[in-house]
Amino acid sequence: MLKVQGLSFSYHRDKEVLKDISFQLDRHDILCLLGPNGTGKTTMLRCLLSLNKIKRGSIEIDGVDLTKASARERAEMVAYVPQASEMAFPYESFEVVLMGRIAHLPTGGNPTARDKAIAYEVMERLGITHLIHKDFNRMSGGEKQMILVARALVQQSRILVMDEPTANLDYSNQVKILQVIRDLAEEGYAILMASHFPNHAFLACNKVALMRDGVIIAQGNPEDIVTTENLTRLYQTPVCVTEAVLKFTRSVTKVCVPVMV
C-alpha cells in the first residue's frame, strides 16, 4: 500500500536530515521504526504526512504520488496518531474523536448523525465510551492515547502513522495500545509506528527498521534485525537480546535488556 523510495530531506541546504530512506508497508503489516532521540524518526513521519517537503525520492500509496495529493486526498489515505498532547480548548473526548471526520465533511460543514454514529461505534469498540463526556485535557496519558487512536480510526484511512503511541504509558496501557494495533493489522490496516522500545518489535510487529543519523541501517523481520549487535550499534550502548521463558504461557520470547558496564 505504502512505498517510500529514496526519500531525502533537509532543513538547511547543506545538511541532509534524512538520507535515501526506502521501505514498503503492505496490508496487515506493522512496521516498528526504532532509533535514538534526534535521529529523524518524527521528521520522517512528517514527510509521510506532507508536513515536510521532501528533497528527493517518492512516497506512493497504491501508486498515487502522495506529495501531489490534496490535503483531503491524503486524509482519506493516511491517518496520524501523535503522542498525547494538550488541546487548546476544553474539548470533550467525543468532540476530539469527531475531528477525525473532518476529511469527509464539506467545507464548513457540521458532523452528521452518521458521523456521530461512526465515532460512537469506534469508541465502543475500543472500550472507551465511558470517556465520552470527559474533558480531554483532564484525562490520563493512557486515556488520551486511546482517544487519539479513536480519532484516527473514524477517519477511515487504511494506513495509520503512529508517533510513539505508548510514550509515557504504564505497562497496562502499553499492552492495551499494542493489542489494538495488532487487531487493526489483522483487519487489514497497515501501521507504521515509531518507538523507543525495541521489545515492541517482538510483541506486535512483523517488520522493523533501525534508523540512526537519518539513515536506515537495517530493516526486515524483527527476529533477524533486532539483535544484540544491531541494537548496540544503533544506541551506541550495550544492549543484550536474549530469550525469556514466560511463566504464564510456558512459551519462549525474545527480550531486549540494556546492560550497565
Side-chain angles (χ1 to χ4, degrees):
M1 295 178 67
L2 171 65
K3 185 177 181 180
V4 177
Q5 189 70 38
L7 185 154
S8 295
F9 172 80
S10 59
Y11 290 107
H12 304 288
R13 185 176 300 178
D14 59 342
K15 184 177 181 181
E16 287 189 332
V17 178
L18 301 176
K19 308 165 190 175
D20 197 26
I21 301 292
S22 298
F23 64 88
Q24 185 166 317
L25 192 65
D26 299 310
R27 285 171 59 88
H28 306 288
D29 279 345
I30 307 174
L31 191 157
C32 184
L33 180 64
L34 297 173
N37 291 331
T39 201
K41 299 189 301 299
T42 297
T43 298
M44 191 189 77
L45 300 187
R46 289 177 59 84
C47 288
L48 298 183
L49 298 165
S50 293
L51 299 176
N52 290 339
K53 185 177 181 180
I54 64 175
K55 181 179 179 181
R56 291 190 305 275
S58 62
I59 305 171
E60 295 183 352
I61 295 179
D62 294 335
V64 176
D65 186 343
L66 202 61
T67 64
K68 296 181 180 179
S70 68
R72 184 177 293 271
E73 290 171 333
R74 289 196 301 272
E76 291 174 351
M77 292 185 282
V78 183
Y80 178 51
V81 181
Q83 296 184 39
S85 59
E86 298 295 313
M87 291 286 174
F89 299 99
Y91 291 110
E92 292 184 350
S93 68
F94 189 70
E95 295 174 306
V96 176
V97 174
L98 265 179
M99 292 176 186
R101 297 299 300 167
I102 291 176
H104 301 275
L105 301 178
T107 303
N110 293 319
T112 65
R114 179 174 179 272
D115 295 318
K116 294 177 181 179
I118 291 172
Y120 184 84
E121 288 170 5
V122 168
M123 293 185 74
E124 187 174 42
R125 173 194 171 182
L126 297 179
I128 54 175
T129 53
H130 63 288
L131 300 175
I132 280 180
H133 298 296
K134 193 169 182 179
D135 184 337
F136 181 84
N137 287 339
R138 295 180 181 273
M139 292 180 180
S140 69
E143 290 173 334
K144 287 180 179 180
Q145 205 62 30
M146 293 301 290
I147 293 299
L148 295 176
V149 171
R151 183 180 67 178
L153 293 185
V154 303
Q155 194 171 319
Q156 295 185 321
S157 308
R158 301 307 289 180
I159 297 177
L160 298 181
V161 174
M162 312 179 84
D163 191 4
E164 302 288 347
T166 63
N168 302 316
L169 302 186
D170 59 32
Y171 273 125
S172 175
N173 282 307
Q174 285 188 40
V175 171
K176 189 173 184 180
I177 290 290
L178 292 175
Q179 186 61 60
V180 168
I181 289 172
R182 288 177 57 178
D183 291 344
L184 293 173
E186 289 178 2
E187 294 176 13
Y189 282 85
I191 300 168
L192 170 61
M193 55 176 279
S195 179
H196 279 303
F197 303 100
N199 284 319
H200 290 175
F202 293 127
L203 288 170
C205 306
N206 68 320
K207 291 183 176 181
V208 64
L210 309 183
M211 178 183 284
R212 182 170 185 88
D213 298 328
V215 177
I216 290 182
I217 62 174
Q219 63 177 309
N221 185 296
E223 292 288 330
D224 299 326
I225 300 301
V226 183
T227 64
T228 295
E229 293 76 18
N230 282 345
L231 290 188
T232 297
R233 174 189 173 197
L234 179 68
Y235 295 108
Q236 295 190 350
T237 192
V239 180
C240 179
V241 178
T242 186
E243 292 185 342
V245 178
L246 303 181
K247 180 179 178 180
F248 301 108
T249 60
R250 296 183 180 179
S251 59
V252 177
T253 187
K254 286 187 175 181
V255 293
C256 308
V257 183
V259 179
M260 299 288 288
V261 295

